[in-house]
Amino acid sequence: LPQSIAGRGNLKSNRSAIRLTELGPRVSLQLVKIQDGVGEGEVLYHSFVKKTAEEKKELRKKIEKAKILKEKRKKEQQKNVEKKKKDEAHLKSESERQKIMRNTLMMMMWNTTRMRLERCQTLSCC
């Protein structure tokens, strides 16, 4: 250190070394909650909340109903996705049909116009 500090070898012109020692843990942890799964399972232990067997039973029923509802929604969503894909495929094929019909109509109009021009040139009316 570039300071004059009382101690052995600590002169302003010399380099000094500092030795650090660990004093121990600064934080003490306390177990609060044990939960089955990550953030969504059943609470196996809680240090602050105590539940009766009846409350635990009701909570399990509620969780089971939520799982069933979630599965039902998932199936419904899957059906909707499949229906949407089917409708899009139908619209795409319908769009393709419309394009073909439009092109066919344009070709027929072009041929009709060309034939009229040819007839007009042969009759020399234009």
Side-chain angles (χ1 to χ4, degrees):
L1 297 172
Q3 303 173 12
S4 291
I5 298 176
R8 202 170 115 193
N10 290 332
L11 299 175
K12 198 167 191 172
S13 63
N14 293 342
R15 291 180 69 176
S16 299
I18 297 175
R19 192 171 295 169
L20 301 174
T21 59
E22 187 175 339
L23 297 174
R26 299 278 187 207
V27 178
S28 60
L29 301 175
Q30 178 186 4
L31 180 62
V32 175
K33 185 177 182 180
I34 300 174
Q35 193 170 4
D36 187 24
V38 180
E40 62 184 37
E42 181 182 356
V43 177
L44 302 174
Y45 168 80
H46 203 294
S47 62
F48 302 126
V49 179
K50 306 293 181 204
K51 296 198 179 212
T52 64
E54 186 65 31
E55 290 174 325
K56 289 178 183 178
K57 188 176 179 181
E58 287 178 24
L59 190 59
R60 284 187 191 115
K61 284 182 182 179
K62 184 179 175 182
I63 291 171
E64 189 62 34
K65 283 182 183 179
K67 283 183 181 180
I68 291 170
L69 184 61
K70 184 177 180 180
E71 285 297 319
K72 183 179 175 185
R73 286 183 185 152
K74 214 176 223 184
K75 287 179 183 178
E76 186 177 335
Q77 181 68 24
Q78 187 64 30
K79 285 180 184 177
N80 289 341
V81 167
E82 289 172 4
K83 182 181 176 190
K84 186 175 180 181
K85 285 181 181 179
K86 187 177 179 182
D87 289 345
E88 286 176 354
H90 176 71
L91 287 175
K92 190 174 182 181
S93 64
E94 189 67 30
S95 174
E96 290 295 324
R97 278 192 222 127
Q98 288 177 355
K99 284 181 184 177
I100 291 169
M101 298 248 325
R102 191 177 319 123
N103 289 341
T104 305
L105 184 60
M106 292 290 283
M107 289 300 291
M108 287 173 58
M109 289 172 60
W110 169 252
N111 287 336
T112 305
T113 306
R114 191 183 55 143
M115 287 172 59
R116 283 184 182 164
L117 282 173
E118 287 175 356
R119 190 179 315 140
C120 188
Q121 286 175 355
T122 57
L123 295 175
S124 300
C125 64
C126 296

